[in-house]
Amino acid sequence: MDLVYVSGHKNPDTDSICAAISYSYLLNATHKYGQAVPVRLGEVSRETEYVLKRFNAHTPQLLKSVKQKVEDLDYDQVTLFSKELTLRTAWSLMCQMNLKSAPVLDDHSHLLGLLSSTNIIEGYMEDWDKDILKNAHTPIENVVDTLDAKIVYLNPELRTIKGSLHITGMNSQEVIDHVNEHDVIITGGDRTEGIREMLKKKVDLIILTNSLHLEESVLEECKKAGVSVVTTAFTTFKTSQQIIQAVPVEYVMQKGDLTCFSTDDTVDYLKEVMSETRYHSYPVIDLNDQVVGTISRFQVITGDHKKMILVDHNERGQAVEGIEEAEILEVVDHHRVADFQTVGPLQFRSEPLGCTCTIIAKMYKEQGIEIPKNVAGLMLAAIISDTLLFRSPTCTKTDKEIALELASIAGVDAEEFGLAMFKAGTSLVGKTIEEIYNQDYKVFNIGDAKVGIAQVNTMDIDGFAPLKGEMLEYMENLCVENGFDTAVLLLTDVINVTSEVFAAGTHPEYVENAFNVQLVEHEANLPGVISRKKQVVPAITRAINA
């Protein structure tokens, strides 16, 4: 099922959050996409928090980036090998599944190494000698499994092979000369006397080929000597070939300096690393260091991009990080169209209304979808917030009409609810300077100038006085760090329809010229100014371009 993220802008306001939730509901109700999920690009304000709690809505999940990551790709959920697995079984699985390589795990399911067909082939081509089973600490069960052997007698103390490998085609004297304690003997004939000589040498294991069996008396001697005995249907020649495949994969796998990727790694990082290496595939681990599969170059090339729908914004600077890598399906907005560009066509709906949720409410009507009570409350809150309880110049007749319809569905009085919402949301008590400035802050590129404008709705402008000095210092630093010509803060009283403006940076005259005022200690009063979009941004734009 395709996942589509519905996202408002950075530093989300009430319209941004409520538009994402209400539009996601509409998309899911009409089954337009697989699954629409509302997301946020920052912390919600106190006002939005109040609204979500009032209408029993969950806070959307936080989306930090839409850059393609490994978790977004269709990597192989391959069979994972334990370090004790025999080469025989590993090779069989790799052939069955057409694998060139496979991750090998330790006892905690963490990546230990990487087994490739090249490792196995090179092992056979190298000088593996009679001590291969000993050097690889091969478990006895690996030998039994690889040879399809039956256990005649097994000494409980025999866990791994500790000696050299011999094929008995020699006389007793030669056995005495070459066989040592703990060795492994492959024998394919009636060599009762030879076996007795081996018991004297204290070998650990005797392997009978061609399904041979020992006389009962000889078997008793083996048990008494603590020598394990197994029998296989393989010929002596085949046994000598197959037994090498009992070696655990841990012995031949690639260890150390492994190139692997996390599910959280970006595709850009994958491409960079893959361009510098030449492996066929790479292990993938999750955030708990558990191996979850492997990934190849082909899967990176064919990976899908995240799908996005933007609400209440269209400017790249206000969108989620990595938006240039996402597939934008739609935009629903009520702002100016700025630096917006997509790779393919999309559905773009923008109307000169006071709120994005006004547009979304219209879309519910157009598509004949009944608006649930809590969704109506969310959209009402967004309209009241954006239009400042219908007092903003951006408020249209349509905004107010739809808001009153939504109030009726939600079962609230618009005026009463709006005042309660603003009161809950505008209190500055307990907030840091950074929290105050960033709760509704946007960056605007106007000509060659770069301006940051924050707006805070509050019913207690006078209570801000003790914070002024610290706020101006923060704004000055913001200008330096971000290359702003000026940083602006509007403290807006929606009830009395007035704003107090504060300006910092190298060009405070932009604000003075925009409103024909003189800043006194970086501050001025702007009666009747309450809309950033319709009054502040256009005025500053004219002042900069003058």
Side-chain angles (χ1 to χ4, degrees), residues 481-543:
E481 292 170 3
N482 295 277
F484 292 166
D485 292 271
T486 186
V488 178
L489 171 64
L490 286 168
L491 292 185
T492 300
D493 184 339
V494 296
I495 304 303
N496 296 307
V497 194
T498 185
S499 291
E500 202 72 10
V501 65
F502 302 85
T506 56
H507 291 282
E509 72 274 9
Y510 289 162
V511 174
E512 293 181 320
N513 296 338
F515 300 103
N516 195 26
V517 296
Q518 183 176 355
L519 294 170
V520 178
E521 296 181 349
H522 301 277
E523 178 183 356
N525 181 250
L526 305 178
V529 175
I530 57 176
S531 172
R532 173 174 54 193
K533 182 179 77 171
K534 204 153 189 175
Q535 294 174 292
V536 178
V537 174
I540 291 179
T541 299
R542 287 191 295 270

Coordinates of all heavy atoms in Angstrom, one line a residue, residues 481-543:
E481 N 23.6 34.7 11.7 CA 23.7 33.3 11.4 C 23.1 32.9 10.1 O 23.5 31.9 9.4 CB 23.1 32.4 12.5 CG 23.9 32.5 13.8 CD 23.1 31.9 15.0 OE1 22.0 31.3 14.8 OE2 23.6 32.0 16.1
N482 N 22.0 33.6 9.7 CA 21.2 33.2 8.5 C 21.4 34.2 7.4 O 20.7 34.0 6.3 CB 19.7 33.0 8.9 CG 19.5 31.9 9.8 OD1 19.4 30.7 9.4 ND2 19.4 32.2 11.1
G483 N 22.2 35.2 7.5 CA 22.4 36.2 6.4 C 21.1 37.0 6.2 O 20.9 37.4 5.0
F484 N 20.3 37.3 7.2 CA 19.1 38.1 7.0 C 19.5 39.6 7.0 O 20.4 40.0 7.7 CB 18.1 37.9 8.2 CG 17.5 36.6 8.3 CD1 16.8 36.2 9.4 CD2 17.5 35.7 7.2 CE1 16.2 34.9 9.5 CE2 16.9 34.4 7.3 CZ 16.3 34.0 8.4
D485 N 18.8 40.3 6.1 CA 18.9 41.8 6.1 C 18.2 42.4 7.4 O 18.7 43.3 7.9 CB 18.3 42.4 4.9 CG 19.1 42.0 3.6 OD1 20.1 42.7 3.3 OD2 18.8 40.9 3.1
T486 N 17.1 41.7 7.7 CA 16.4 42.2 8.9 C 15.5 41.0 9.4 O 15.1 40.1 8.7 CB 15.5 43.4 8.7 OG1 14.9 43.8 9.9 CG2 14.4 43.1 7.7
A487 N 15.4 41.0 10.8 CA 14.5 40.0 11.4 C 13.4 40.8 12.1 O 13.6 41.8 12.7 CB 15.2 39.2 12.4
V488 N 12.1 40.4 11.9 CA 11.0 41.1 12.3 C 10.1 40.2 13.3 O 10.0 39.0 13.0 CB 10.1 41.6 11.1 CG1 8.9 42.3 11.6 CG2 10.9 42.5 10.2
L489 N 9.6 40.8 14.3 CA 8.7 40.2 15.2 C 7.4 41.0 15.4 O 7.5 42.2 15.7 CB 9.3 39.9 16.6 CG 8.3 39.4 17.7 CD1 7.8 38.0 17.3 CD2 9.0 39.4 19.1
L490 N 6.3 40.4 15.1 CA 5.0 41.1 15.3 C 4.3 40.5 16.5 O 4.1 39.3 16.5 CB 4.1 40.9 14.1 CG 4.4 41.6 12.8 CD1 3.6 41.1 11.7 CD2 4.1 43.1 13.0
L491 N 4.0 41.3 17.5 CA 3.1 40.9 18.6 C 1.7 41.4 18.2 O 1.5 42.6 18.3 CB 3.6 41.4 19.9 CG 4.9 40.9 20.4 CD1 5.2 41.5 21.8 CD2 4.9 39.4 20.5
T492 N 0.8 40.5 18.0 CA -0.5 40.9 17.4 C -1.6 40.7 18.5 O -1.7 39.5 19.0 CB -0.8 40.2 16.1 OG1 0.2 40.5 15.2 CG2 -2.2 40.6 15.6
D493 N -2.4 41.7 18.7 CA -3.6 41.6 19.6 C -4.8 41.6 18.6 O -5.2 42.6 18.1 CB -3.6 42.8 20.5 CG -4.8 42.7 21.5 OD1 -5.7 42.0 21.2 OD2 -4.7 43.4 22.5
V494 N -5.3 40.4 18.5 CA -6.4 40.3 17.5 C -7.7 40.9 18.0 O -8.6 41.3 17.2 CB -6.7 38.8 17.2 CG1 -5.5 38.2 16.5 CG2 -7.1 38.0 18.4
I495 N -7.9 41.1 19.3 CA -9.1 41.6 19.8 C -9.1 43.1 19.6 O -10.1 43.7 19.2 CB -9.3 41.3 21.3 CG1 -9.2 39.8 21.5 CG2 -10.6 41.9 21.8 CD1 -10.3 39.0 20.7
N496 N -8.0 43.8 19.9 CA -7.9 45.2 19.7 C -7.4 45.7 18.3 O -7.2 46.8 18.1 CB -7.0 45.8 20.8 CG -7.5 45.6 22.2 OD1 -8.7 46.0 22.5 ND2 -6.8 45.0 23.1
V497 N -7.1 44.7 17.5 CA -6.7 44.9 16.1 C -5.5 45.8 16.0 O -5.6 46.9 15.4 CB -7.9 45.5 15.2 CG1 -7.6 45.4 13.8 CG2 -9.2 44.7 15.5
T498 N -4.4 45.4 16.6 CA -3.2 46.2 16.6 C -2.0 45.2 16.7 O -2.2 44.1 17.2 CB -3.2 47.2 17.7 OG1 -2.0 48.0 17.6 CG2 -3.2 46.5 19.1
S499 N -0.9 45.7 16.3 CA 0.4 44.9 16.5 C 1.5 45.8 16.9 O 1.6 47.0 16.6 CB 0.8 44.3 15.1 OG -0.1 43.2 14.8
E500 N 2.4 45.2 17.7 CA 3.6 45.9 18.1 C 4.7 45.2 17.2 O 4.8 44.0 17.2 CB 3.9 45.7 19.5 CG 4.8 46.8 20.1 CD 4.2 48.1 20.3 OE1 3.0 48.3 20.1 OE2 5.0 49.1 20.5
V501 N 5.5 46.0 16.5 CA 6.6 45.4 15.7 C 7.9 45.7 16.2 O 8.2 46.8 16.8 CB 6.5 46.0 14.2 CG1 6.8 47.5 14.2 CG2 7.4 45.2 13.3
F502 N 8.8 44.7 16.1 CA 10.2 44.8 16.6 C 11.1 44.4 15.4 O 10.8 43.4 14.7 CB 10.5 43.9 17.8 CG 9.6 44.1 19.0 CD1 8.3 43.6 19.0 CD2 10.0 45.0 20.0 CE1 7.5 43.8 20.1 CE2 9.2 45.2 21.1 CZ 7.9 44.6 21.2
A503 N 12.2 45.2 15.2 CA 13.0 44.9 14.1 C 14.5 44.9 14.5 O 14.9 45.7 15.3 CB 12.8 45.9 13.0
A504 N 15.3 44.0 13.9 CA 16.7 43.9 14.2 C 17.4 43.6 12.8 O 16.8 43.4 11.8 CB 17.0 42.7 15.1
G505 N 18.7 43.7 12.8 CA 19.5 43.5 11.6 C 20.1 44.7 11.1 O 20.0 45.8 11.7
T506 N 20.6 44.6 9.9 CA 21.3 45.8 9.3 C 20.4 46.7 8.5 O 20.8 47.8 8.1 CB 22.4 45.3 8.3 OG1 21.8 44.4 7.3 CG2 23.5 44.5 9.0
H507 N 19.2 46.3 8.3 CA 18.2 47.1 7.5 C 16.9 47.3 8.2 O 15.8 46.9 7.6 CB 18.0 46.5 6.1 CG 19.3 46.6 5.2 ND1 19.6 47.8 4.6 CD2 20.2 45.7 4.9 CE1 20.8 47.6 3.9 NE2 21.1 46.3 4.1
P508 N 16.8 47.8 9.4 CA 15.6 48.0 10.1 C 14.7 49.1 9.3 O 13.5 49.1 9.5 CB 16.0 48.5 11.4 CG 17.3 49.1 11.3 CD 18.0 48.3 10.2
E509 N 15.3 49.9 8.4 CA 14.6 50.9 7.7 C 13.6 50.3 6.8 O 12.6 50.9 6.3 CB 15.5 51.8 6.9 CG 16.2 51.2 5.7 CD 17.5 50.4 6.0 OE1 17.8 50.2 7.2 OE2 18.2 50.0 5.1
Y510 N 13.7 49.0 6.4 CA 12.7 48.3 5.6 C 11.3 48.4 6.3 O 10.3 48.6 5.7 CB 13.1 46.8 5.4 CG 14.2 46.6 4.5 CD1 14.9 45.4 4.4 CD2 14.7 47.6 3.6 CE1 16.0 45.1 3.6 CE2 15.8 47.4 2.7 CZ 16.4 46.2 2.8 OH 17.5 45.9 1.9
V511 N 11.4 48.2 7.6 CA 10.1 48.2 8.4 C 9.6 49.7 8.5 O 8.4 49.9 8.4 CB 10.3 47.6 9.8 CG1 9.1 47.8 10.7 CG2 10.7 46.1 9.7
E512 N 10.5 50.6 8.8 CA 10.1 52.0 8.9 C 9.5 52.5 7.6 O 8.4 53.2 7.6 CB 11.4 52.9 9.3 CG 11.9 52.6 10.7 CD 13.1 53.5 11.0 OE1 14.0 53.7 10.1 OE2 13.2 53.9 12.2
N513 N 10.1 52.2 6.5 CA 9.6 52.7 5.2 C 8.3 51.9 4.8 O 7.4 52.5 4.2 CB 10.7 52.4 4.1 CG 11.9 53.3 4.3 OD1 11.9 54.3 5.0 ND2 13.0 52.8 3.7
A514 N 8.2 50.7 5.2 CA 7.0 49.9 4.9 C 5.8 50.5 5.5 O 4.7 50.5 4.9 CB 7.2 48.4 5.3
F515 N 5.9 51.0 6.8 CA 4.7 51.4 7.5 C 4.7 52.9 7.9 O 3.9 53.4 8.6 CB 4.6 50.6 8.8 CG 4.4 49.1 8.5 CD1 5.5 48.2 8.7 CD2 3.2 48.6 8.0 CE1 5.4 46.9 8.4 CE2 3.1 47.2 7.8 CZ 4.1 46.4 8.0
N516 N 5.8 53.6 7.3 CA 5.9 55.0 7.6 C 5.9 55.3 9.1 O 5.2 56.2 9.6 CB 4.7 55.8 6.9 CG 5.0 57.3 6.8 OD1 6.2 57.7 6.8 ND2 3.9 58.1 6.8
V517 N 6.7 54.6 9.8 CA 6.9 54.8 11.2 C 8.4 55.0 11.5 O 9.3 54.7 10.7 CB 6.3 53.6 12.0 CG1 4.8 53.5 11.8 CG2 7.1 52.3 11.6
Q518 N 8.6 55.4 12.7 CA 10.0 55.5 13.2 C 10.2 54.6 14.4 O 9.4 54.6 15.3 CB 10.3 57.0 13.7 CG 11.8 57.1 14.1 CD 12.1 58.5 14.5 OE1 11.3 59.4 14.3 NE2 13.3 58.8 15.0
L519 N 11.1 53.7 14.2 CA 11.4 52.7 15.3 C 12.1 53.4 16.5 O 13.1 54.1 16.3 CB 12.3 51.6 14.8 CG 11.7 50.7 13.7 CD1 12.8 49.8 13.1 CD2 10.5 49.8 14.3
V520 N 11.5 53.2 17.6 CA 12.1 53.8 18.9 C 12.6 52.6 19.7 O 11.8 51.7 20.1 CB 11.1 54.6 19.7 CG1 11.8 55.1 21.0 CG2 10.6 55.8 18.8
E521 N 13.9 52.5 19.8 CA 14.5 51.4 20.5 C 14.1 50.1 19.8 O 13.6 49.1 20.5 CB 14.2 51.3 22.0 CG 14.9 52.5 22.7 CD 14.6 52.5 24.2 OE1 13.7 51.7 24.6 OE2 15.2 53.3 24.9
H522 N 14.1 50.1 18.4 CA 13.8 48.9 17.6 C 12.3 48.5 17.6 O 11.9 47.4 17.2 CB 14.6 47.7 18.0 CG 16.1 47.9 17.9 ND1 16.8 47.8 16.8 CD2 17.0 48.3 18.9 CE1 18.1 48.0 17.0 NE2 18.2 48.3 18.3
E523 N 11.4 49.4 18.1 CA 10.0 49.1 18.3 C 9.1 50.2 17.8 O 9.4 51.4 17.8 CB 9.7 48.8 19.8 CG 8.3 48.5 20.1 CD 8.1 48.4 21.7 OE1 9.1 48.5 22.4 OE2 6.9 48.2 22.1
A524 N 7.9 49.7 17.3 CA 6.9 50.7 16.8 C 5.5 50.1 16.9 O 5.4 48.8 16.9 CB 7.2 51.2 15.4
N525 N 4.5 50.9 17.0 CA 3.1 50.4 17.1 C 2.5 50.5 15.7 O 2.7 51.5 15.0 CB 2.3 51.2 18.1 CG 0.9 50.7 18.2 OD1 -0.1 51.4 17.8 ND2 0.7 49.5 18.7
L526 N 1.7 49.4 15.3 CA 1.1 49.4 14.0 C -0.4 49.2 14.2 O -0.9 48.1 14.1 CB 1.7 48.3 13.1 CG 3.2 48.3 12.9 CD1 3.6 47.1 12.0 CD2 3.7 49.6 12.2
P527 N -1.2 50.2 14.4 CA -2.6 50.1 14.6 C -3.3 49.5 13.3 O -2.9 49.9 12.2 CB -3.1 51.5 14.8 CG -1.9 52.3 15.3 CD -0.7 51.6 14.6
G528 N -4.2 48.6 13.5 CA -4.9 48.0 12.4 C -4.1 47.0 11.6 O -4.7 46.3 10.7
V529 N -2.8 46.7 11.9 CA -2.0 45.7 11.2 C -2.1 44.4 12.0 O -1.6 44.3 13.1 CB -0.6 46.2 11.0 CG1 0.3 45.1 10.4 CG2 -0.5 47.4 10.2
I530 N -2.7 43.4 11.4 CA -2.7 42.1 12.1 C -2.4 40.9 11.2 O -2.3 39.8 11.6 CB -4.1 41.9 12.8 CG1 -5.2 42.0 11.7 CG2 -4.3 42.9 13.9 CD1 -6.6 41.7 12.3
S531 N -2.3 41.2 9.9 CA -2.0 40.1 8.9 C -0.6 40.2 8.4 O -0.3 41.1 7.7 CB -3.0 40.1 7.8 OG -2.7 39.2 6.8
R532 N 0.2 39.2 8.6 CA 1.5 39.1 8.0 C 1.5 39.0 6.5 O 2.2 39.6 5.8 CB 2.3 37.9 8.6 CG 3.7 37.7 8.0 CD 4.5 36.6 8.7 NE 3.7 35.4 8.8 CZ 4.0 34.3 9.6 NH1 5.1 34.4 10.3 NH2 3.3 33.2 9.6
K533 N 0.6 38.1 6.1 CA 0.5 37.8 4.6 C 0.0 39.0 3.8 O 0.5 39.3 2.8 CB -0.4 36.6 4.4 CG -0.5 36.2 2.9 CD -1.4 34.9 2.7 CE -2.8 35.3 2.8 NZ -3.7 34.1 2.4
K534 N -1.1 39.6 4.3 CA -1.8 40.6 3.5 C -1.3 42.0 3.7 O -1.4 42.9 2.9 CB -3.3 40.5 3.7 CG -4.1 41.0 2.5 CD -5.4 40.4 2.5 CE -6.2 40.7 1.2 NZ -7.4 40.0 1.1
Q535 N -0.7 42.3 4.9 CA -0.3 43.6 5.3 C 1.2 43.8 5.4 O 1.7 44.8 5.0 CB -1.0 44.1 6.6 CG -2.6 44.2 6.4 CD -3.2 44.4 7.8 OE1 -3.2 43.6 8.6 NE2 -3.8 45.6 7.9
V536 N 1.8 42.8 6.1 CA 3.2 43.0 6.5 C 4.1 42.7 5.3 O 5.0 43.5 4.9 CB 3.6 42.2 7.7 CG1 5.1 42.3 8.0 CG2 2.8 42.6 8.9
V537 N 4.0 41.4 4.7 CA 4.9 41.0 3.7 C 4.8 41.9 2.4 O 5.8 42.4 1.9 CB 4.6 39.5 3.3 CG1 5.4 39.1 2.1 CG2 5.0 38.6 4.5
P538 N 3.5 42.3 2.0 CA 3.5 43.2 0.8 C 4.1 44.5 1.1 O 4.7 45.1 0.2 CB 1.9 43.3 0.6 CG 1.4 42.1 1.2 CD 2.2 41.8 2.3
A539 N 3.9 45.1 2.3 CA 4.5 46.4 2.6 C 6.0 46.4 2.6 O 6.6 47.3 2.1 CB 3.9 46.9 3.9
I540 N 6.5 45.4 3.2 CA 8.0 45.2 3.3 C 8.6 45.0 1.8 O 9.6 45.5 1.5 CB 8.4 44.1 4.2 CG1 8.1 44.6 5.7 CG2 9.9 43.8 4.1 CD1 8.5 43.6 6.8
T541 N 7.8 44.2 1.1 CA 8.2 43.9 -0.3 C 8.3 45.2 -1.1 O 9.3 45.5 -1.8 CB 7.3 43.0 -1.0 OG1 7.2 41.7 -0.3 CG2 7.7 42.7 -2.4
R542 N 7.3 46.1 -1.0 CA 7.3 47.4 -1.7 C 8.5 48.3 -1.2 O 9.1 48.9 -2.0 CB 6.0 48.1 -1.5 CG 4.8 47.5 -2.2 CD 3.6 48.4 -2.2 NE 3.1 48.5 -0.9 CZ 2.1 47.7 -0.4 NH1 1.7 46.7 -1.1 NH2 1.7 47.9 0.9
A543 N 8.7 48.2 0.1 CA 9.8 49.1 0.7 C 11.2 48.6 0.1 O 12.1 49.4 -0.2 CB 9.8 49.0 2.2

